[in-house]
Every structure is written in structure tokens, then in C-alpha cells.
Amino acid sequence: MSATELPLIGDYSTPVPELNGARIGVVTFPGTLDDRDAARAIRLTGAEAVSLWHADHDLQNVDAVVIPGGFSYGDYLRAGAIARFAPMMGNIIDAANSDAKLPVLGICNGFQILTESHLLPGSMVKNDHLKFLCRDQVLRVENNTTAWTNQYAKGEEITIVLKNQDGQYVADEKTLDALEAEGRVAFSYVGWNPNGSRRNIAGITNAAGNVVGLMPHPEHAVEAGFGPDHTGTDGLGFFTSVLTHLVGGQK
């Protein structure tokens, strides 16, 4: 099959009735660079991508939120440290902690923002080799019960794109022990730890399972022929997972 014949993922010529009206917000900060990629991934699953501006207060009645990658506010002070105080983040924090448990996915800089916001524990610091790194990265799914991972099998290995400079996940030993004991490690690095993250942690979840953060980029692995070589589509499961979660009446 030639490159021009590679299909998009799925057939969306006929909208899926259950997904009509599913709205997933994508937050843009000054310095965000992967918001359009995240929006495209959302649209490929049949949902509506809703742009959310950092300085606004209105969540626009979205059903879930993606905080994408980039360098919000130029990573001044610390990556995510200023973005945490944006008006939009205040509403996201409240909604994620409410009884409704708004699903929130933080990717790369989004993960950094979630730790700075205390929606997830720990922190992100510079890679142990002190260099920016971009590569295809194998991950193991450690928890497939969250709003963002339920379409994967536990123990499944997926390949998505990794690109970061401040990607080393750190936390104190007590926190790391609790994350492992409570099954809150969502993803771990396989084969090689690319940034020195403690205990090979690539992504974590909160106790409720509605907030997930990870350093690699699932939104860059959603179309055949445009992602990592072996399939290119391993990241799509994040976005179909949240739709399955919403359609299941857990909205």
C-alpha cells in the first residue's frame, strides 16, 4: 500500500450516536505547541474538540479536558509553575476534585502542570542526562482502570513518542511506595529509562482514576503512517478510553 493510500483510523463518515455531543476541552497557554495535535486526536475518535484559553474561566460545559504539551510561559521558574495559576486551571482543579470527577489528561508539559497544581503528586525535573530527548518510547500499561486507559490491557506494551527536557519524575520514597501499592502507576518505561524517572515511572493517576498524567505523547501516535513505525496508532486508546468512560454513564 502506498503512503497516499494509508487510511485514517476508523470510519467516521457516519457519526456514532453515543458520541454525538461528547465535548473534550484542549487548553492552550502561551507556549503550548501540541494543542492542535491533541484536538485532531480527539476528532479522530468522533468527539468534538473544544478550545479552552488559559485566561478564561468558562469550561464551556466540556465532558473532559486535555492539557497538552509544550513550554507554557517559556518554562520560567519551573515547567508548569506559572500555568498552574491560570484562571482556567482553577476551574479545572475544582472540576477534577468535584463529585463529578471531570476526566483530565496531562501530556508532557500538561503532566508538569498537574503536579504543580497538586492534582497529582511528585514533581518533574530535568532529565538526568541534561539533554532534550526525542524518540519512540515503549511503555507498559500498569493500570487499565482509569478514565484514560480502560481500552488497553494491563501489561500491554505500547509505543508512542517521547520528547522532553524536564521529564524526570521524582517523589519521596513514601509517595513512590504509595503509588505502587495503590496501583496508581499508570505507565512505566520499558527497555530503557530515558530521563531517570524514579522507578521507571512514565505516568501516574490520582486515586479516583479521573486524572492521568504522563510524559510521552499519545496524540502523536493516532494515525497509521504518521506515528511510531510498528503501528503508529498506539496512542489512540487514550482518547477512545475517555469516550468509553463517558458513554458508560460515568460522566
Side-chain angles (χ1 to χ4, degrees), residues 187-203:
F187 298 93
S188 59
Y189 294 114
V190 175
W192 179 53
N193 185 329
N195 45 40
S197 290
R198 301 299 185 267
R199 304 192 190 182
N200 297 317
I201 291 174

Side-chain angles (χ1 to χ4, degrees), residues 9-125:
I9 302 303
D11 177 5
Y12 302 107
S13 56
T14 304
V16 180
E18 295 87 350
L19 302 186
N20 285 349
R23 294 164 52 83
I24 302 180
V26 180
V27 185
T28 300
F29 299 91
T32 296
L33 59 83
D34 291 313
D35 43 354
R36 292 191 178 188
D37 301 76
R40 179 167 178 78
I42 289 164
R43 289 194 295 269
L44 286 174
T45 63
E48 177 186 357
V50 179
S51 295
L52 300 175
W53 184 239
H54 70 107
D56 292 342
H57 293 269
D58 185 6
L59 276 171
Q60 300 187 47
N61 198 33
V62 296
D63 302 308
V65 167
V66 175
I67 307 176
F71 303 90
S72 59
Y73 299 94
D75 282 350
Y76 288 111
L77 300 183
R78 290 184 310 276
I82 298 177
R84 175 261 180 273
F85 293 101
M88 181 59 67
M89 279 308 302
N91 288 345
I92 290 172
I93 292 167
D94 289 344
N97 287 328
S98 71
D99 291 341
K101 302 297 182 192
L102 179 76
V104 179
L105 176 66
I107 303 169
C108 195
N109 188 224
F111 186 13
Q112 295 160 343
I113 294 169
L114 291 180
T115 61
E116 291 289 339
S117 302
H118 305 295
L119 282 173
L120 293 174
S123 187
M124 313 301 302
V125 299

